[in-house]
Amino acid sequence: MKKTVLDFVPPHIRTLAGYVAGKALRQAQRESGVTMVKMASNENPYGPSPLAIEAIRQAAPLVNLYPDNDATELRQELATRHQIAPEQIFLADGSLGLLDIMSRTLLGPGLNCVTSERSFISYPIVTRAAGAELVTAPMRNDAYDLDAVYAAINENTRIVILANPNNPTGTMFDADATEAFIARVPEHILVVLDEAYYDFATYFAAQRGVTYTRAMDYVRGKRANVIVLRTFSKAHGLAGLRLGYGCGDPELFNYFGKVRNAFSVSVVSEAAGLAAIRDEAHVRKTVENNAAGAAWLMPYFAELGLRAVPTNANFIYFEIDEDANAFAKRMQLEGVIVRSLVPWGIRNGIRVTVGTPDQNEMFVRALKKVVRQAVAK
Ligand SMILES: Cc1ncc(COP(=O)(O)O)c(C=O)c1O
């Protein structure tokens, strides 16, 4: 039999479980024939900053030109804000873009990346696509168990990724726990502090009187094996533009620069990012409403007898008494898209993004109906 190209797709790509995205709003509306609200992908329910929209408009006539490959202006602005050098910042098309570059730079067959079970779904993908293995440590109380993560490290480990707060459980560990962990990890292993939900977590931590993170101190102190990941996709409302960055060691970033696709941060993304970080009022409104929304939602889970985990981010993890895919489908029929956690291997787990007050009410209405339907069956 004649072989085809497909016969030569290597085994580690053949067996890759690709990313299963949250359902796109328009697709869900077409399927259900009703107007829907999407609370599935931890996006900003208040939209992008109006300043970012204006910046996008102004950048539009320039998109015939390739972007500034170094995103100089945005890098400079971020460097000033974080009190680090521009060379300590690496911008990419989302923090996902950076995770991919990182894996392709440091991983390969025979090597591994360590993280926790029930963490961000893209970690296994970027690791395995690089031909390496993902080692997951068990959780404790729905949270990262940093002792277990440490214990999972072996001589083939090159990267450890810590999602803080964790997606999908919304739990966090504090700055002292991070410090104790980093102090033990050998310096040839890259520790990635994924702080995608930084703004939300900072707000919750202040409410609770705890210190969420001192991650940027490692960058300022030139701790070469620590990278801090931040994104514009969450509190800044630019998920659709794909913009994220890492803060870390300039020498390592030189290697990342060789691996990355040129021009991966578009003209429009850089302009919108600059405007979005300057619109502090929009971020404040987003995090304040998020905390109020989470506090408003939590009692309803208890009322319905559902276990929900208190969040440090912009989503809530909860468990139901049935298959999560079936539950999510019935929620969709009620006009609300939530995330089934079956792709994470959690058969009865759901993640819902905190919405605007109207969206939260719609969610609770649908939740009550769907849970009661399940009980009545
Ligand atoms: C923990 C975590 N890291 C990274 C990302 C990806 O963010 P980005 O849109 O910047 O690629 C997400 C998105 O959901 C996330 O939850």
Side-chain angles (χ1 to χ4, degrees), residues 99 115 119-127 134 144 161-163 194:
L99 283 164
T115 187
S119 193
F120 185 39
I121 195 126
S122 293
Y123 300 156
I125 300 174
V126 293
T127 301
L134 188 83
Y144 265 66
I161 312 181
L162 307 178
D194 184 347

Side-chain angles (χ1 to χ4, degrees), residues 11 36 39 68 85 101 120 128-129 134 136 140 149 168 174 178 188 211 216 227 244 256 278 294 314 336 352 370 373:
M36 320 233 23
M39 302 172 79
D68 168 7
I101 291 168
F120 185 39
R128 289 175 191 146
L134 188 83
T136 55
R140 192 165 41 183
V149 173
D174 69 10
T178 309
H188 69 276
T211 303
M216 226 38 97
I227 286 191
F256 285 6
R278 289 173 183 156
N314 66 341
V336 180
V352 61
V370 167
Q373 278 168 354

Side-chain angles (χ1 to χ4, degrees), residues 88-127:
Q88 291 175 294
I89 293 178
F90 193 96
L91 276 147
D93 46 345
S95 29
L96 260 179
L98 193 47
L99 283 164
D100 188 47
I101 291 168
M102 202 179 291
S103 303
R104 287 192 287 136
T105 307
L106 288 171
L107 298 175
L111 302 175
N112 71 58
C113 167
V114 173
T115 187
S116 172
E117 63 172 348
R118 299 187 170 195
S119 193
F120 185 39
I121 195 126
S122 293
Y123 300 156
I125 300 174
V126 293
T127 301

Side-chain angles (χ1 to χ4, degrees), residues 48-63:
S49 139
L51 301 186
I53 296 174
E54 185 47 38
I56 291 167
R57 264 200 204 102
Q58 286 185 17
L62 301 173
V63 298

